[in-house]
């Protein structure tokens, strides 16, 4: 039986629950979990002051319930197990996580999977800015794992991303893959301006109704049908990510860039 956690009431002051993870509570009693420290704004409080808890912590599955839009750092630094959020979530869902799975049935705020190292984050709604991105001043962002967002996301998706896969079913903001070091980003909606600016390596794919104009520092290479897209399509469908029927079988236009950074990055545009 999973550990069920329900927020008692919505608060206008953020709740930060960093450290409340499947692997950190699995050997604790329910009373011990209630006494764990969290932050309500700048005040340290007990977890049980704001959440009702039931179930079995040893199951290593957490189910969070209620309006959690003001609850931040869910699954941060997670190293195994499963977290399910039945509704919306706040900032930093799965930031710096290494293993395990996080499933959010609603929307999430900024920094989903910030500097993520591994595991799976699956958002069935929208997400905010800086998904899979580096923190300000950090040399790299996401270094592994998979982030799936069914809806739209904000700006700077995959900022300084190093490895891993991000797929977005909806629209994105500006600067997709800004300063990207490696990894794969797939967009199935519309995208904002300056995609791939400063990218060193990696792949950005645009498979929506239309692609954004590329910077003049990108060069067309060829038109072809890459086999890797069929493999990606199979894996994404296995993970229950919605895909257009044509994905994996249609030809694409390939561009190389950013030439300012050596031109080793790839941008794929469905044709």
């Amino acid at each position: 039986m999973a550990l069920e956690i329900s927020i008692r009431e919505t608060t206008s002051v953020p709740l930060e629950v960093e450290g409340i993870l499947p692997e950190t509570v699995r050997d604790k009693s329910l009373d011990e979990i209630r006494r764990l420290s969290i932050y309500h704004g700048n005040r340290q409080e007990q977890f049980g002051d704001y959440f009702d808890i039931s179930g079995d912590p040893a199951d290593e599955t957490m189910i969070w319930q209620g309006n959690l839009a003001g609850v931040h750092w869910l699954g941060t630094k997670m190293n195994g197990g499963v977290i399910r959020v039945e509704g919306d979530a706040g900032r930093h869902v799965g930031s710096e996580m290494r293993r395990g799975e996080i499933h959010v049935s609603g929307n999430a705020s900024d920094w989903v999977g910030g500097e993520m190292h591994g595991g799976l984050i699956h958002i069935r709604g929208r997400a905010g800015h800086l998904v899979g991105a580096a923190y300000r001043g950090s040399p790299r962002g996401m270094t592994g794992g998979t982030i799936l967002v069914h809806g739209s996301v904000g700006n700077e998706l995959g900022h300084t991303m190093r490895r891993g896969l991000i797929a977005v079913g909806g629209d994105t903001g500006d600067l997709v893959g800004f300063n990207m070091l490696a990894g794969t980003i797939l967009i199935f909606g519309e995208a904002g301006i300056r995609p791939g600016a400063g990218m060193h390596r990696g792949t950005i794919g645009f498979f929506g109704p239309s692609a954004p104009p590329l910077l003049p520092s990108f060069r067309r290479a060829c038109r072809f049908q890459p086999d890797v897209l069929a493999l990606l399509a199979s894996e994404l469908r296995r993970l229950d990510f919605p895909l257009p029927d044509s994905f994996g079988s249609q030809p694409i236009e390939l561009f190389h860039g950013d030439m300012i950074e050596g031109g080793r990055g790839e941008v794929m545009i469905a044709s």
Side-chain angles (χ1 to χ4, degrees):
M1 179 181 179
L3 180 67
E4 296 188 0
I5 301 169
S6 299
I7 190 168
R8 291 206 183 98
E9 60 184 45
T10 303
T11 171
S12 60
V13 178
L15 287 165
E16 298 184 356
V17 296
E18 184 175 357
I20 309 295
L21 302 169
E23 71 268 22
T24 60
V25 305
R26 63 188 172 197
D27 297 324
K28 291 180 167 53
S29 68
L30 294 183
D31 283 339
E32 288 174 322
I33 296 171
R34 292 184 184 103
R35 291 194 294 270
L36 291 173
S37 295
I38 62 171
Y39 275 90
H40 182 221
N42 62 358
R43 292 166 47 190
Q44 196 171 40
E45 310 271 8
Q46 290 190 351
F47 188 62
D49 292 340
Y50 298 93
F51 297 91
D52 293 321
I53 311 165
S54 62
D56 182 10
D59 187 78
E60 295 196 53
T61 297
M62 286 180 163
I63 300 176
W64 294 73
Q65 301 167 328
N67 185 356
L68 301 164
V71 179
H72 308 306
W73 304 94
L74 282 162
T76 292
K77 299 182 180 178
M78 182 175 171
N79 201 31
V82 177
I83 290 177
R84 299 189 183 276
V85 180
E86 297 181 346
D88 296 342
R91 295 187 296 273
H92 291 281
V93 170
S95 288
E96 300 179 64
M97 74 179 287
R98 294 186 175 276
R99 284 188 289 272
E101 298 182 9
I102 299 176
H103 299 267
V104 179
S105 66
N107 304 319
S109 189
D110 302 338
W111 295 106
V112 170
E115 300 197 4
M116 176 184 184
H117 303 295
L120 169 68
I121 301 175
H122 198 155
I123 311 293
R124 260 81 178 177
R126 303 182 305 275
H129 302 299
L130 295 154
V131 173
Y135 296 144
R136 299 310 191 196
S138 292
R140 63 187 60 85
M142 178 180 178
T143 61
T146 300
I147 300 175
L148 308 178
V149 182
H150 288 205
S152 298
V153 302
N155 297 330
E156 298 184 55
L157 173 73
H159 185 306
T160 321
M161 178 181 180
R162 179 65 181 86
R163 290 189 188 90
L165 169 66
I166 301 175
V168 176
D171 300 336
T172 71
D174 299 337
L175 292 168
V176 171
F178 178 69
N179 199 36
M180 187 175 179
L181 302 175
T184 302
I185 298 174
L186 306 176
I187 310 299
F188 296 92
E190 304 283 349
I193 61 174
R194 299 185 181 90
M199 73 183 297
H200 297 248
R201 292 179 302 278
T203 302
I204 303 173
F206 295 102
F207 301 96
S210 63
L214 297 182
L215 292 167
S217 50
F218 282 79
R219 298 288 183 268
R220 184 184 182 276
C222 64
R223 174 185 167 94
F224 77 126
Q225 187 173 322
D227 293 336
V228 69
L229 294 185
L231 297 174
L232 284 169
S234 176
E235 177 65 7
L236 289 171
R237 290 190 174 104
R238 184 188 71 82
L239 294 171
D240 194 32
F241 183 81
L243 289 173
D245 293 338
S246 60
F247 180 69
S249 60
Q250 79 271 50
I252 62 99
E253 298 284 338
L254 178 66
F255 295 80
H256 288 153
D258 189 332
M259 293 299 171
I260 294 172
E261 298 294 345
R264 290 174 291 173
E266 297 180 332
V267 173
M268 296 182 180
I269 298 177
S271 60

